[in-house]
Amino acid sequence: MNTLAEENYLKCIYHLSADAGIVSTNQIAASLNTKASSVTDMLKKLADKVLINYTRYQGVSLTPAGEKIAVGIIRKHRLWEYFLVEKLNFKWDQVHDMAEEMEHISSEELIDRLDEFMGHPKHDPHGDPIPDCNGKFKSAELKPLSTLTVNQCGVISGVRDHSSPFLQYLEKQQLTIGKTITITDIIEYDHSVALKLEANKEIHISREVANNLLIAL
Amino acid sequence: MNTLAEENYLKCIYHLSADAGIVSTNQIAASLNTKASSVTDMLKKLADKVLINYTRYQGVSLTPAGEKIAVGIIRKHRLWEYFLVEKLNFKWDQVHDMAEEMEHISSEELIDRLDEFMGHPKHDPHGDPIPDCNGKFKSAELKPLSTLTVNQCGVISGVRDHSSPFLQYLEKQQLTIGKTITITDIIEYDHSVALKLEANKEIHISREVANNLLIAL
DNA sequence: TAAAAAATTTAGACTAATCTAAAATATGGA
DNA sequence: TCCATATTTTAGATTAGTCTAAATTTTTTA
């Protein structure tokens, strides 16, 4: 079908274009830890396969065919993450690298059966939505915690940073998916945030943490 | 660690040396559907890494390090096959190609947790023994059904041919792992075998089938 | 709006894994 | 034991993906 490298480029372009629409060569190079010249080579190949729209110097976007492949890989990634956490008892900060390998197992039937085995979960352990077998999914309207105001209340529903250190920090602070929080104070000076957890526990987080925590109102 | 190709060569050499001890370049080429010259190149690389014992024109065997890697891959393959059949309800003739991909997922912790999740199974769906996390396993003393004599009785415990058509045929004849059979007749003319299944059902199989069915006495 | 800076592409080279064709070595039968 | 045949290795080429360095194009800014 497609090579490992091709799949990784498509997935990367998909994620980057969520923010930007059109994605630049340098963005891809930075995201994949490779060089811009390598990216250019691959873009030509993907354009030949009609998986991306590409004109020299003008950046790229996915074609419908390319997007379909990317979403399929993301579906696999998130289902395997769910499996690793729910069935094999891994922590949410341990599963990313394993899922990064498992997302390239090719069988569609395998992933559909895995989906069924787990009861068609709607979200992965980090709160990201899992596309269904047709690639459909709706991403909830989430806002960074940093955009809330005092007394606003919401449910932790996602993260913008998937790194282990960040996830471990959240775990320690009990700031995990599904928890309800209420903003009690916002410090003008450094934009840090004080908030109340369910058991009335008060905690205080930096602006950066608040920026990377996504809340459903 | 090691590349996909290296892992496949090591696994292949492991399987071939079960019969022969020392394995020839041509045997490997035939088994991997590649050319002898490609095999020679890879053998040099594996010898440099001290994963095989290799002298030009003299065939190869695995070093302890090479065998350890091969057994690790086989452990993964068989555990994933067990998972696919027991948890995702695939048939025993459907799982080989998927496991062929999954055996290269690198995490040791993943495979150990999978092993635990499934209750440390001792055999895969085809009756092959699953090495434990130290690479230890004992293969039962199995004999091809074709070597039994009239009135001998035993339990179907393995197959020598893992191809879908053979496994599907066995399934249809209810000749599956764990079934007890008794030889009722051996036809001199073509060495075909008549046998009795548990429910006193009588069936008749060719010499070739009898050769590929492994029995524990 | 033109020069400087940044981004991108091209050119040429490298590695891993493969191939074909030719050369070298081993083996088995007369 | 020697030759024909089979097996294996070498030589040289190819493809995918990557790299560095140089050239080109775009963007910024003065």
Side-chain angles (χ1 to χ4, degrees):
Chain A
M1 222 342 234
N2 300 293
T3 67
L4 184 65
E6 285 168 358
E7 290 194 350
N8 283 333
Y9 273 87
L10 291 173
K11 182 173 57 129
C12 171
I13 295 166
Y14 180 90
H15 284 309
L16 291 174
S17 53
D19 308 325
I22 280 208
V23 181
S24 76
T25 301
N26 265 359
Q27 280 180 290
I28 298 170
S31 169
L32 292 178
N33 265 298
T34 183
K35 303 293 166 174
S37 57
S38 310
V39 174
T40 301
D41 286 347
M42 182 58 92
L43 295 184
K44 287 178 191 162
K45 185 155 43 133
L46 293 174
D48 284 348
K49 290 189 164 195
V50 199
L51 298 174
I52 60 172
N53 306 114
Y54 171 57
T55 12
R56 283 158 81 243
Y57 295 103
Q58 305 302 304
V60 290
S61 61
L62 294 176
T63 62
E67 181 165 332
K68 190 176 171 199
I69 293 170
V71 170
I73 298 164
I74 288 162
R75 165 171 159 80
K76 289 181 195 169
H77 184 102
R78 293 179 181 168
L79 280 170
W80 281 119
E81 283 201 343
Y82 187 92
F83 171 78
L84 292 171
V85 168
E86 295 300 321
K87 302 293 181 180
L88 302 192
N89 298 116
F90 281 102
K91 301 282 190 186
W92 71 339
D93 61 287
Q94 299 178 300
V95 295
H96 186 267
D97 291 352
M98 286 179 263
E100 208 68 0
E101 291 184 61
M102 301 173 95
E103 71 191 7
H104 301 290
I105 305 293
S106 58
S107 170
E108 289 298 317
E109 181 162 14
L110 166 53
I111 209 68
D112 291 343
R113 289 201 187 203
L114 182 70
D115 187 23
E116 191 184 343
F117 175 61
M118 301 188 298
H120 303 287
K122 292 280 168 291
H123 298 275
D124 79 8
H126 311 111
D128 295 311
I130 300 176
D132 70 17
C133 60
N134 304 117
K136 298 259 182 288
F137 66 99
K138 48 175 184 299
S139 26
E141 278 289 322
L142 302 183
K143 292 180 156 196
L145 193 149
S146 54
T147 63
L148 305 201
T149 52
V150 172
N151 284 326
Q152 261 196 302
C153 152
V155 178
I156 299 175
S157 303
V159 292
R160 279 164 126 183
D161 177 356
H162 290 69
S163 73
S164 286
F166 182 61
L167 297 176
Q168 282 168 14
Y169 168 79
L170 293 183
E171 179 101 30
K172 197 177 296 177
Q173 302 298 317
Q174 299 174 43
L175 293 168
T176 50
I177 303 291
K179 287 279 174 67
T180 300
I181 54 98
T182 309
I183 310 288
T184 54
D185 196 14
I186 297 172
I187 315 304
E188 288 268 332
Y189 172 65
D190 63 355
H191 299 266
S192 64
V193 179
L195 46 84
K196 210 167 56 187
L197 288 178
E198 277 153 8
N200 264 340
K201 195 181 170 207
E202 286 268 1
I203 66 170
H204 190 246
I205 63 178
S206 72
R207 177 190 208 170
E208 196 183 343
V209 170
N211 242 318
N212 286 320
L213 257 183
L214 296 171
I215 307 299
L217 298 178
Chain B
M1 225 333 241
N2 300 293
T3 67
L4 183 65
E6 286 168 356
E7 291 194 349
N8 284 331
Y9 273 86
L10 291 174
K11 182 174 55 128
C12 171
I13 294 167
Y14 180 89
H15 284 308
L16 290 174
S17 54
D19 307 326
I22 281 206
V23 180
S24 76
T25 302
N26 266 359
Q27 279 179 291
I28 298 169
S31 169
L32 293 178
N33 265 298
T34 183
K35 304 293 166 175
S37 57
S38 310
V39 174
T40 301
D41 285 348
M42 181 59 93
L43 295 184
K44 286 178 192 162
K45 188 159 34 138
L46 293 174
D48 285 348
K49 290 187 164 196
V50 199
L51 299 174
I52 60 172
N53 306 113
Y54 171 57
T55 11
R56 282 158 82 245
Y57 295 103
Q58 305 303 302
V60 290
S61 61
L62 294 176
T63 63
E67 181 165 333
K68 190 174 172 200
I69 293 170
V71 170
I73 297 165
I74 288 162
R75 166 171 158 82
K76 290 182 194 167
H77 184 102
R78 292 179 181 168
L79 280 169
W80 281 119
E81 283 201 345
Y82 187 92
F83 171 78
L84 292 170
V85 168
E86 294 300 321
K87 301 293 181 182
L88 302 192
N89 297 116
F90 281 101
K91 301 282 190 185
W92 71 339
D93 61 288
Q94 300 179 299
V95 296
H96 186 268
D97 291 353
M98 287 179 264
E100 211 63 5
E101 291 185 60
M102 301 173 95
E103 72 191 8
H104 301 289
I105 304 294
S106 58
S107 170
E108 288 300 316
E109 181 162 15
L110 166 53
I111 209 67
D112 290 344
R113 289 202 188 203
L114 182 70
D115 188 23
E116 192 184 343
F117 174 62
M118 301 188 298
H120 304 287
K122 292 280 169 294
H123 298 275
D124 79 7
H126 310 111
D128 294 311
I130 300 176
D132 70 17
C133 60
N134 304 119
K136 298 260 181 288
F137 66 99
K138 50 175 182 298
S139 25
E141 278 288 322
L142 303 183
K143 292 181 156 195
L145 193 150
S146 54
T147 64
L148 304 200
T149 53
V150 172
N151 283 325
Q152 261 197 303
C153 152
V155 178
I156 300 175
S157 303
V159 292
R160 279 165 126 181
D161 176 357
H162 290 69
S163 72
S164 286
F166 183 60
L167 297 176
Q168 282 166 16
Y169 168 79
L170 293 183
E171 178 102 30
K172 196 178 295 176
Q173 301 298 316
Q174 299 173 42
L175 293 168
T176 49
I177 303 291
K179 287 280 174 66
T180 301
I181 54 100
T182 309
I183 310 289
T184 55
D185 195 14
I186 297 171
I187 315 302
E188 290 267 332
Y189 173 64
D190 63 355
H191 299 265
S192 65
V193 179
L195 46 83
K196 210 166 57 187
L197 289 177
E198 277 153 8
N200 265 340
K201 195 180 169 209
E202 285 267 2
I203 66 171
H204 190 247
I205 62 179
S206 71
R207 177 190 207 168
E208 197 184 343
V209 170
N211 241 317
N212 286 319
L213 256 183
L214 296 171
I215 307 298
L217 298 178

